[in-house]
Amino acid sequence: MTGPTSPQEIAKYAAARQAATYVEGGMKVGLGTGSTAAWLVRRLGERVRDEGLQIVGVPTSSSTAALAREVGVPVATLDEARWLDLTIDGADECDAELNLIKGGGGALLQEKIVATASDRMIVIADATKRVEKLGAFPLPVEVVGFGMNTTKMLLEEMLEGLDVMGNKAVPRMKDGTLFRTDEGNHILDLHLGRIGNARQLALILNQVPGVVENGLFIDICDVIVIGHGDGTVETRDINSGETGRMVHEVATDNVFVDIAD
């Protein structure tokens, strides 16, 4: 596997490599979507090939499913797996309580369903994703196509009365047309600046007619694995309070080698 070549990719890869150590034989594992999750899937493919690791992956998007098959990770649907031991996924933002904004890749609905059908959720991210307050990253909201402009208007009006710094809802585009999720829906990106009460906002958003789901993941993440550009990895388990630190050094061929703390 070709290794990372930039500090940000090194951080993502280091976090993914560390998170892969949580995966044990016989597990059913939710596989996230995005560039950081892609490193995880590739790492799990290596373990399947080199160690004979026996797992079943449940992808959160068609792109993740294609990558898993490509690297040799067996896949199943959530209906087939029914319940998962673990989900590992990336995040667009993460605060100190491990509340998240997700959905930059457009897979928030499947990601949330899979994560909540798991005993544990581990989030992998580079250090830039850690924030004091959520909201600088536009909050994705998945909406149905019917009456989308009305849904947009209702959302913007509702946001005026909440503890946020902005209320603009922008339809997500791709290649000059409205972006479509794997479920055939659209995404409205909410430019909020700062979210004062993420828990309240998550509840209110889903009451707006036309909204399918929002990208606020509240009380879902159990463990955060943060990678840095020098190969350092920090871990934090919000349930046990345990924290950890591991250092990786980058070999000249861009393959990570574990070294002692």
Side-chain angles (χ1 to χ4, degrees):
M1 180 179 69
T2 303
T5 57
S6 70
Q8 187 174 34
E9 288 304 304
I10 287 170
K12 293 177 181 180
Y13 181 80
R17 183 180 178 91
Q18 183 66 24
T21 66
Y22 289 85
V23 178
E24 301 174 356
M27 279 187 169
K28 293 180 284 188
V29 183
L31 304 175
T33 295
S35 58
T36 312
W39 283 118
L40 169 80
V41 175
R42 295 186 185 103
R43 175 59 180 159
L44 292 177
E46 285 184 335
R47 293 190 61 194
V48 168
R49 182 190 69 234
D50 300 338
E51 304 172 18
L53 179 70
Q54 296 186 354
I55 59 172
V56 174
V58 175
T60 55
S61 66
S62 56
S63 59
T64 297
L67 177 60
R69 294 188 181 100
E70 178 185 332
V71 300
V73 176
V75 299
T77 66
L78 183 57
D79 284 335
E80 291 168 338
R82 297 178 64 85
W83 192 261
L84 309 181
D85 299 286
L86 184 65
T87 286
I88 305 177
D89 203 350
D92 298 303
E93 284 187 345
C94 177
D95 69 13
E97 283 73 46
L98 304 197
N99 295 317
L100 318 170
I101 286 182
K102 289 180 52 55
L108 67 96
L109 177 59
Q110 291 188 22
E111 288 172 337
K112 188 174 282 191
I113 292 171
V114 169
T116 54
S118 305
D119 287 336
R120 300 177 80 198
M121 182 191 188
I122 296 175
V123 164
I124 50 178
D126 64 87
T128 65
K129 305 301 192 296
R130 187 164 49 188
V131 299
E132 291 186 11
K133 277 286 186 181
L134 300 176
F137 188 92
L139 174 64
V141 176
E142 186 159 341
V143 299
V144 298
F146 178 81
M148 188 176 74
N149 287 335
T150 299
T151 303
K152 176 179 179 297
M153 179 186 68
L154 290 171
L155 284 170
E156 290 177 338
E157 289 181 352
M158 176 269 294
L159 289 167
E160 289 182 358
L162 298 180
D163 186 9
V164 294
M165 293 179 64
N167 73 326
K168 189 174 182 180
V170 179
R172 187 177 299 183
M173 308 294 290
K174 183 178 181 181
D175 300 327
T177 62
L178 285 171
F179 174 84
R180 282 193 178 273
T181 69
D182 280 354
E183 299 301 315
N185 298 315
H186 301 299
I187 297 285
L188 292 174
D189 289 311
L190 307 186
H191 293 255
L192 307 178
R194 181 189 62 83
I195 298 171
N197 189 331
R199 188 182 307 277
Q200 177 193 54
L201 179 60
L203 293 171
I204 292 175
L205 285 173
N206 284 5
Q207 302 305 310
V208 175
V211 170
V212 179
E213 189 53 82
N214 69 81
L216 285 167
F217 283 51
I218 309 297
D219 297 333
I220 297 176
C221 176
D222 298 288
V223 177
I224 182 75
V225 181
I226 295 288
H228 298 269
D230 62 356
T232 303
V233 178
E234 302 171 66
T235 63
R236 178 182 169 219
D237 186 320
I238 196 167
N239 299 310
S240 68
E242 293 180 357
T243 60
R245 180 177 179 270
M246 177 169 285
V247 181
H248 299 270
E249 65 177 12
V250 185
T252 55
D253 59 356
N254 286 326
V255 176
F256 280 88
V257 178
D258 290 350
I259 61 174
D261 287 350

